[in-house]
Amino acid sequence: MEKSYNLFSYGTLMEEACVKEVIGRVPEMKPALVEGFHRFFDTDIGYYSARMETGVSIEGVLLMGLSDNEINSLDEYEGVRYGIYERAGVKARIVENGMVVDAFIYVKGKKRFIRH
């Protein structure tokens, strides 16, 4: 039996149309938050990113029940192999019921861009 994953999104992957374009379907999506991370606009890449920071949290959406292939497609979309983002494991709290689940989050990668 294939494993299933959850992904916490705080940016473009909160949009159903974007998710459908990347993985070919819209999974169950629930408002959620992740504590211990800060969302910021990353001028290096021109998109929002996240980094660990004590005492703060990020509101976003939990994409639930993703397959290995879907996670790999999302990694490709987020530029993981190029170091733009990295995938990290977190605990996400579902807003509607307070349940805490394991999830992935994309955080700032090690790639740096030089603007000319």
Side-chain angles (χ1 to χ4, degrees):
M1 185 171 184
E2 188 172 311
K3 251 186 118 168
S4 143
Y5 305 93
N6 301 313
L7 175 73
F8 177 81
S9 175
Y10 52 84
T12 56
L13 291 174
M14 292 173 62
E15 301 169 20
E16 289 184 3
C18 180
V19 174
K20 186 171 185 176
E21 184 176 317
V22 175
I23 66 171
R25 71 179 183 99
V26 177
E28 183 176 6
M29 298 171 73
K30 293 185 178 281
L33 63 90
V34 170
E35 295 180 9
F37 283 83
H38 168 73
R39 177 182 173 222
F40 67 99
F41 188 78
D42 187 342
T43 56
D44 285 345
I45 60 173
Y47 290 96
Y48 282 98
S49 193
R51 64 178 159 236
M52 292 180 76
E53 186 174 319
T54 305
V56 296
S57 62
I58 300 176
E59 293 181 10
V61 172
L62 194 63
L63 285 63
M64 303 180 75
L66 301 169
S67 70
D68 286 320
N69 287 340
E70 290 169 335
I71 284 290
N72 291 335
S73 294
L74 292 164
D75 282 355
E76 186 67 25
Y77 173 78
E78 293 290 358
V80 169
R81 76 170 144 154
Y82 303 110
I84 298 169
Y85 288 97
E86 295 176 8
R87 183 168 27 105
V90 294
K91 300 286 187 188
R93 182 177 307 278
I94 299 171
V95 173
E96 70 184 14
N97 60 17
M99 190 165 91
V100 176
V101 299
D102 290 328
F104 290 121
I105 185 174
Y106 290 108
V107 298
K108 183 173 179 64
K110 293 183 179 24
K111 176 79 175 175
R112 298 292 180 262
F113 295 88
I114 299 171
R115 299 216 184 258
H116 297 278

